Amino acid sequence: MGMRESTRDRMLDAAEELFFSRGIAATPVDAVIARAGVSTATMYRGFPSKEALVAAALERRERAWIVTWDAAVDAAGSEAERLLAVFDALDDFRAERDSARWCAFLGAAAEHVDADEEVAAAVRADTEAFRIRLERLAADVAPGLEHELAESLLLVISGHLAMRLRDPSQSSATARRVAHAVIAAIAQAPAL
Amino acid sequence: MGMRESTRDRMLDAAEELFFSRGIAATPVDAVIARAGVSTATMYRGFPSKEALVAAALERRERAWIVTWDAAVDAAGSEAERLLAVFDALDDFRAERDSARWCAFLGAAAEHVDADEEVAAAVRADTEAFRIRLERLAADVAPGLEHELAESLLLVISGHLAMRLRDPSQSSATARRVAHAVIAAIAQAPAL
DNA sequence: CCCAATCGACAACGCACGTTTCACTTCGGC
DNA sequence: GCCGAAGTGAAACGTGCGTTGTCGATTGGG
């Protein structure tokens, strides 16, 4: 019933590269199959549907993103720098793969509006994981206000990713500057 | 060659409501036609293609958004309040129409990745108009730094809209707070 | 009142895409 | 070397959708 790991990897590689750079709806299953060098039957034996393939690709990307993020946080110094390291991770992640011109989860959320429970669940899981990790880092910078700070930073990061959707070459400098202002405002004036 | 104005309006009403709430690709032309109470032939006599209909709906929405935004700016007091009025306008715009649960232009950008010149042009035009109007308002708050401030606020607004994509009921409070911090940081420390 | 423009109803075409099936071949552990 | 699992290649199906065409009814300005 299963499929060989190398085959599965090739399929997910192709799915990631095509779905998340050209768009999910705009990429036919045939294109993924051709890119992976796999037959139609093989794909449908490994994944029940296109949607399942999309969800699997999203989940694998989520795990890869966490690894990149963790590495950037570990490389940072102060608590504030560890919090801002998410922008380094964003840059690293984009540099590593062509398909990360913009956020796959943002794109998936925009394409699958109210439908597709499997994909929607992956998007929700990503957002939640993101928020929780931000809160953990924010607690070291602004104890007691980590919820507020994390929510604000989540908005800044989403804004950066949304800007990238229109202009994929956009640097993270503006986002970093905004994030810095937010951290300063919350950390320096905790009574605000 | 033309079409009666009332017919065109009904078509654009239906297009806006369906395309921008359910998604463009997920909405067949038939659905728009049915909703507008119009025949297939009539629609294709007025618009050469689905893409043209989408572009026309985007352009009309752009104009409506500008009206809402202007009204909110005029209702505001100080220069800083006039700059922050964009969030009031965002709330007003969403309250006025169901289809404004999230940003139509953000959604269109996500769905039409590299293709569709007509739609892409409308998205670019919206982003540019947005930036220019923000710069004009920002010039009164932080003279000489209006480009920097406008770019930051554009990011904050995009972030708010992206968050709404995942949770359409999200209020603009967080975005407003972040925007306030950005304005304070740039206006109070112009040498930064 | 008339005529031309506009519109509605409906059928049809063509195509692209997701999915299934089938007959056959290759791979890999026992 | 055997045998089941995994993969190939190609064809086919069903369907949904964008688009076109026809034709009779409706409309509205001169």
Side-chain angles (χ1 to χ4, degrees):
Chain A
M1 190 80 80
M3 89 196 298
R4 278 198 273 274
E5 200 181 321
S6 66
T7 307
R8 188 182 169 86
D9 284 346
R10 263 185 304 141
M11 292 232 47
L12 291 179
D13 286 344
E16 236 188 281
E17 286 164 26
L18 296 181
F19 283 148
F20 303 153
S21 66
R22 301 185 188 176
I24 297 170
T27 304
V29 174
D30 295 6
V32 180
I33 283 169
R35 173 125 187 173
V38 166
S39 78
T40 316
T42 300
M43 126 123 208
Y44 278 98
R45 218 178 296 115
F47 302 94
S49 67
K50 179 183 184 179
E51 195 198 335
L53 180 60
V54 173
L58 281 172
E59 283 155 20
R60 201 185 67 159
R61 173 173 277 234
E62 164 77 7
R63 289 195 295 276
W65 158 245
I66 294 293
V67 169
T68 302
W69 190 2
D70 279 349
V73 169
D74 288 347
S78 72
E79 279 117 355
E81 279 168 0
R82 286 165 61 84
L83 190 47
L84 286 170
V86 66
F87 295 105
D88 297 323
L90 247 19
D91 291 340
D92 293 345
F93 202 69
R94 174 171 49 179
E96 282 170 12
R97 58 199 80 208
D98 294 351
S99 62
R101 289 162 48 206
W102 62 77
C103 177
F105 293 86
L106 196 55
E111 285 199 60
H112 298 81
V113 193
D114 29 27
D116 290 343
E117 200 45 44
E118 213 166 348
V119 171
V123 173
R124 267 196 306 273
D126 168 76
T127 305
E128 258 337 281
F130 219 118
R131 194 192 313 268
I132 288 171
R133 295 176 83 82
L134 273 179
E135 279 179 3
R136 198 145 52 216
L137 294 168
D140 297 331
V141 174
L145 293 172
E146 63 266 19
H147 180 66
E148 208 175 337
L149 181 51
E151 192 65 24
S152 297
L153 287 180
L154 195 56
L155 186 142
V156 175
I157 293 160
S158 297
H160 172 57
L161 294 168
M163 294 303 291
R164 267 214 237 157
L165 212 153
R166 291 130 166 176
D167 173 17
S169 65
Q170 186 137 130
S171 91
S172 64
T174 301
R176 216 182 288 255
R177 193 152 29 81
V178 173
H180 192 80
V182 169
I183 294 173
I186 292 187
Q188 293 174 9
L192 200 66
Chain B
M1 188 82 78
M3 89 196 297
R4 279 198 270 273
E5 200 180 321
S6 67
T7 307
R8 187 182 170 87
D9 283 346
R10 265 186 302 141
M11 292 233 47
L12 290 179
D13 286 343
E16 237 188 280
E17 285 164 27
L18 295 180
F19 284 148
F20 302 153
S21 66
R22 302 187 189 176
I24 298 171
T27 304
V29 175
D30 294 7
V32 180
I33 284 169
R35 174 125 187 172
V38 165
S39 78
T40 316
T42 300
M43 125 124 208
Y44 277 99
R45 222 178 290 118
F47 301 93
S49 66
K50 178 183 184 178
E51 195 198 335
L53 179 60
V54 172
L58 281 172
E59 283 155 20
R60 202 186 66 160
R61 172 173 276 233
E62 164 77 8
R63 288 194 296 275
W65 158 245
I66 293 294
V67 169
T68 302
W69 190 1
D70 279 349
V73 169
D74 288 347
S78 72
E79 279 116 356
E81 278 168 0
R82 287 165 60 86
L83 190 46
L84 286 170
V86 66
F87 295 104
D88 297 323
L90 247 20
D91 291 339
D92 293 345
F93 202 69
R94 175 170 50 179
E96 282 170 12
R97 58 199 78 207
D98 294 350
S99 62
R101 288 163 48 206
W102 63 77
C103 176
F105 293 86
L106 199 54
E111 286 199 59
H112 298 81
V113 194
D114 30 27
D116 291 344
E117 201 45 47
E118 214 166 346
V119 172
V123 173
R124 266 196 306 275
D126 169 75
T127 305
E128 258 337 282
F130 218 117
R131 194 192 312 269
I132 287 172
R133 294 176 83 83
L134 273 179
E135 280 180 2
R136 199 145 51 214
L137 293 169
D140 297 331
V141 174
L145 292 172
E146 63 265 21
H147 180 67
E148 209 176 336
L149 181 51
E151 192 64 26
S152 298
L153 287 180
L154 194 56
L155 185 142
V156 174
I157 293 160
S158 297
H160 172 57
L161 294 169
M163 295 302 291
R164 267 215 236 156
L165 212 154
R166 291 130 167 176
D167 174 17
S169 66
Q170 185 137 132
S171 90
S172 63
T174 300
R176 217 181 288 254
R177 192 152 29 80
V178 173
H180 193 80
V182 169
I183 294 174
I186 291 187
Q188 292 174 10
L192 199 64

